[in-house]
Amino acid sequence: MDQSVPARQPATAKRDGVRRHLLDLIEQAGPGTALPPERDLALRLGVSRPTVRAAIDDLARTGLLVRQQGRGTFTSPHKITQELSGGTTNAFAVPPAEGYWTSRVLAFRAAPAGAPRATRLKLSPSEPVLRIVRLRLVDKEPMAIERIDVPAALVPGLTEREMESGNFYQLLRERFDVVVADAIQTIEPTVTNPDQADLLDVPLYSPVLLIERTTRDVTGRIVEFARSIYRGDRYRITSKLRFDSSSG
């Protein structure tokens, strides 16, 4: 017998079998479907509950399953999709993605810009900047944590209540006569810290998308710097690409 490849450990083989069974359940079930209890799965598959739990943990780490304390384990919910639009200011006039979006304002405070914010917003360090931090919810479920820095002089009289619903760019246009024209946005993966995990109701170190955006109005002024954390298990971004005849 070739001893170069060690025999697979029975416990690992059993966990792989449970994992395959769970993957079949996920494929057949719709988003947000409850799995049978661990005890029932263990009896059905002839394995121990720790083996079932280990397989579920593996799939939860990949985002295919979601544990909800006191409720059980569910297949991953439907993802909220945002389509990136380019070449038109209409992209700023539509809701940011699917679903009914609302916000819970966590912080709302004006203070001198200071050096870092002054550089980003092209202001004097002494000029006041309004910082708004809000928890973004879709159909009442936490989806993102958004931090917005806006030159305070652009939004005199803005209230927390106005930031709880609606489209921020539409509010800028209609209430303050600030018409956004373009933005530079970056997207990169990261993981949650303890505070973010608590607000988004996800496990610590869950995958999230970090989105940073610098927005200018039609006069070329920088009117916003936003830094947002979006849940990686519930949010995705799609984009349309257009190719001309010279594309290789």
Side-chain angles (χ1 to χ4, degrees):
M1 179 178 177
D2 184 1
Q3 299 297 320
S4 61
V5 179
R8 180 180 289 272
Q9 296 298 316
T12 303
K14 287 182 178 181
R15 187 170 68 186
D16 287 349
V18 175
R19 192 175 188 275
R20 287 193 297 272
H21 178 77
L22 293 174
L23 286 171
D24 288 341
L25 288 180
I26 292 169
E27 185 174 352
Q28 296 166 13
T33 301
L35 291 189
E38 290 179 4
R39 181 189 299 106
D40 294 353
L41 287 169
L43 289 173
R44 183 187 306 174
L45 300 174
V47 298
S48 66
R49 288 184 65 181
T51 298
V52 171
R53 191 173 300 117
I56 289 175
D57 288 342
D58 286 345
L59 295 176
R61 279 191 289 270
T62 67
L64 292 173
L65 293 177
V66 177
R67 289 187 181 276
Q68 296 186 13
Q69 189 171 4
R71 296 190 60 203
T73 303
F74 298 79
T75 59
S76 183
H78 168 68
K79 287 201 173 189
I80 303 301
T81 299
Q82 177 180 358
E83 181 177 315
L84 293 185
S85 302
T88 172
T89 55
N90 286 338
F92 294 110
V94 299
E98 301 170 337
Y100 179 63
W101 288 71
T102 55
S103 300
R104 177 156 60 90
V105 177
L106 306 175
F108 190 92
R109 178 173 172 268
R117 290 195 294 181
T119 300
R120 287 188 182 277
L121 296 170
K122 305 298 183 187
L123 300 173
S124 163
S126 62
E127 289 187 65
V129 170
L130 178 62
R131 170 161 290 181
I132 305 160
V133 182
R134 54 184 185 168
L135 179 65
R136 302 282 279 149
L137 303 107
V138 179
D139 301 327
K140 299 183 180 180
E141 291 291 328
M143 184 63 56
I145 303 166
E146 182 180 64
R147 189 187 73 194
I148 303 172
D149 288 331
V150 185
L154 293 181
V155 289
L158 179 67
T159 66
E160 291 187 38
R161 183 70 176 270
E162 290 174 298
M163 297 300 296
E164 292 176 354
S165 62
N167 183 283
F168 181 53
Y169 298 117
Q170 183 176 351
L171 177 66
L172 285 178
R173 183 177 66 250
E174 295 179 354
R175 174 118 146 70
F176 302 104
D177 199 27
V178 174
V179 181
V180 296
D182 58 70
I184 295 175
Q185 181 167 277
T186 63
I187 304 171
E188 61 182 283
T190 185
V191 296
T192 54
N193 63 31
D195 290 339
Q196 293 164 348
D198 184 55
L199 284 169
L200 294 175
D201 194 24
V202 297
L204 181 61
Y205 306 129
S206 291
V208 289
L209 294 174
L210 169 61
I211 300 177
E212 292 188 343
R213 182 174 61 254
T214 302
T215 308
R216 296 178 184 270
D217 69 1
V218 291
T219 71
R221 293 179 302 181
I222 296 177
V223 299
E224 172 203 48
F225 175 72
R227 189 178 192 273
S228 305
I229 297 288
Y230 283 80
R231 286 177 56 166
D233 65 328
R234 293 293 314 278
Y235 190 81
R236 65 182 172 192
I237 295 173
T238 65
S239 60
K240 289 184 178 180
L241 305 179
R242 181 174 296 174
F243 302 94
D244 58 31
S245 58
S246 64
S247 298

